[in-house]
Amino acid sequence: MASPAMKQDSIEVAINGRSSQAYVSGGSMARRPTVTIIHIKEKHGPLRAAVPCMPLPIAIVCCLLNIFTPGIGTLISAFTVFCCGKTGNPDRASCVDFWLNILSAFLQIITFPVIVGWIWSIFWGMTFVTLSAEYKRARKLQKRRRLRADSRGQSQD
């Protein structure tokens, strides 16, 4: 005898602004399914953790410089550590992150003739833009949450 087919209901789940389909097997959707939100934080090495999160226009310029003149965008990004760039390791001194970025730029320039430095430089440039866009998205989300919390607090008064 064939076993009866399990009933599958689906729900739409939004995580980090991305929508996905989730399936609940065996029960009814009348019961509220338990949703577990998992936060994943990547652990990066010292060079990657030193990459500054810059304002988006500066990140785009540094990315383009890294594509066309490998290492120069990374060299410029090293100086943003002091004025407008936040790095992945807030416990470390800014001058350490500065010198790690200078080292990265130097290695990208040195290894450019064997193509490795150029590829590394392009990936570094893409990382600049990605970090900047993620930071901008997170700031907007924080602002929306703050506004919602403020409006809830005012409506209860």
Side-chain angles (χ1 to χ4, degrees), residues 11-143:
I11 57 173
E12 191 166 330
V13 180
I15 298 175
N16 290 338
R18 295 187 182 136
S19 174
S20 317
Q21 202 72 15
Y23 295 96
V24 180
S25 297
S28 165
M29 289 297 286
R31 291 182 290 157
R32 292 189 80 176
T34 304
V35 177
T36 304
I37 298 175
I38 300 171
H39 179 72
I40 299 172
K41 182 166 172 65
E42 294 179 44
K43 183 173 168 119
H44 299 289
L47 286 179
R48 171 58 176 76
V51 173
C53 177
M54 303 170 274
L56 190 58
I58 297 173
I60 291 171
V61 168
C62 287
C63 178
L64 291 173
L65 284 171
N66 268 357
I67 291 170
F68 297 111
T69 54
I72 301 302
T74 305
L75 185 67
I76 291 170
S77 76
F79 292 95
T80 66
V81 169
F82 296 121
C83 60
C84 59
K86 296 180 181 182
T87 61
N89 194 352
D91 300 333
R92 194 166 43 204
S94 293
C95 63
V96 173
D97 290 328
F98 169 76
W99 286 109
L100 285 172
N101 279 299
I102 294 291
L103 175 66
S104 295
F106 179 71
L107 291 173
Q108 288 171 7
I109 293 168
I110 295 294
T111 58
F112 164 67
V114 290
I115 307 300
V116 173
W118 192 27
I119 294 170
W120 180 15
S121 185
I122 291 170
F123 277 118
W124 228 242
M126 292 180 348
T127 302
F128 296 150
V129 176
T130 303
L131 281 176
S132 179
E134 286 175 359
Y135 180 72
K136 188 175 180 179
R137 191 177 314 123
R139 294 276 299 185
K140 280 184 180 179
L141 186 62
Q142 273 182 339
K143 188 176 181 180

